[in-house]
Amino acid sequence: MARFDKNTTLTQVSATGLVPLFTHNDLELCLGVLRACYAAGVRVFEFTNRTENSYNNFVELVKIAETEMPEMILGIGTIYDAATAQKFIDVGTNFIVAPVMNPEVGKVCQAAGIPWMPGVMTVTEIYNARVAGAEFIKIFPGDVLGAGFVKALKGGPMPDAQIMVTGGVSPTEESLKLWFGAGTTAVGIGSQLVPKDVLAAKDWAKVTEIVGNALTIIKGLK
């Protein structure tokens, strides 16, 4: 069961503006990244379901976060179907992010009272996702659609859409200014927050520095 209600999660995503994305087979590395992000000020974190150990690692992270990082809202990403969504809901995910718009996943999330953030690429998909119950929309891939798409969407047919962009977002002032200037509510960033060499060295202080700098930039843009 989720520790945080839907409104708390959505409010925190909007307030912070940054949702780190990460996964790895090694639980120690996952925990190191999660702790480093929390130390930087992150309060919403997407653990992506992309490895053979994702489920078991997520279960452990949920347990550890509850005691060590009480304000961390931990969610699961890369969820395609309702059965998988329910599996993670049963072990305490606070939200579900998907690369596709599957209304059946939305139904499961609504029943559990947690946010569902489906991935979309067109205005029609965004409309259908919102009708299906998505309060937050994931624009993916951002580098393909471009900031102009978000600006046109917010300035025209859907000015009230809450958007999280992933793919093509960097933790730099130039990139963040581009996306937030277009009307993005939040951004999801993965490997650029945790570069391969930094991960290999387990340099958690560096991760905290990179993430903290991104949060500072975003705060100045909101």
Side-chain angles (χ1 to χ4, degrees):
M1 185 175 182
R3 285 201 300 126
F4 299 89
D5 62 60
K6 181 187 289 188
N7 287 338
T8 298
T9 299
L10 293 174
T11 297
Q12 191 59 254
V13 173
S14 298
T16 308
L18 172 65
V19 179
L21 308 98
F22 185 79
T23 194
H24 200 282
N25 268 325
D26 188 330
L27 178 61
E28 179 188 356
L29 296 182
C30 296
L31 185 55
V33 171
L34 188 66
R35 284 171 171 157
C37 288
Y38 192 75
V42 164
R43 292 299 180 264
V44 184
F45 189 99
E46 177 189 335
F47 188 75
T48 52
N49 181 36
R50 293 180 182 171
T51 74
E52 60 185 15
N53 288 341
S54 290
Y55 177 78
N56 291 333
N57 284 348
F58 185 77
V59 170
E60 292 304 312
L61 291 176
V62 168
K63 293 177 183 177
I64 294 168
E66 186 172 359
T67 55
E68 282 191 32
M69 297 161 268
E71 295 179 5
M72 180 64 89
I73 302 173
L74 191 59
I76 192 71
T78 319
I79 301 299
Y80 291 92
D81 59 80
T84 305
Q86 188 63 58
K87 182 179 178 181
F88 281 96
I89 287 170
D90 290 342
V91 293
T93 189
N94 292 286
F95 61 91
I96 286 178
V97 182
V100 299
M101 204 291 283
N102 180 351
E104 295 305 311
V105 175
K107 290 179 183 178
V108 172
C109 292
Q110 283 187 305
I114 64 171
W116 165 54
M117 306 176 191
V120 296
M121 288 185 72
T122 69
V123 175
T124 298
E125 284 184 315
I126 294 170
Y127 173 81
N128 289 336
R130 297 179 78 188
V131 169
E135 291 96 345
F136 231 99
I137 302 298
K138 172 182 174 178
I139 297 294
F140 175 81
D143 52 350
V144 173
L145 294 170
F149 176 78
V150 175
K151 187 173 183 179
L153 182 73
K154 296 284 288 185
M158 296 180 185
D160 61 337
Q162 298 297 301
I163 294 170
M164 179 172 74
V165 176
T166 64
V169 185
S170 302
T172 63
E173 185 168 5
E174 180 183 10
S175 179
L176 295 171
K177 187 175 182 179
L178 176 69
W179 287 108
F180 282 95
T184 298
T185 306
V187 293
I189 307 179
S191 59
Q192 293 198 54
L193 292 178
V194 191
K196 288 183 179 180
D197 58 330
V198 173
L199 183 64
K202 299 180 182 179
D203 189 350
W204 308 130
K206 185 62 177 179
V207 175
T208 297
E209 177 188 334
I210 295 171
V211 174
N213 183 59
L215 286 172
T216 298
I217 295 170
I218 292 170
K219 185 177 182 180
L221 296 172
K222 279 186 164 288

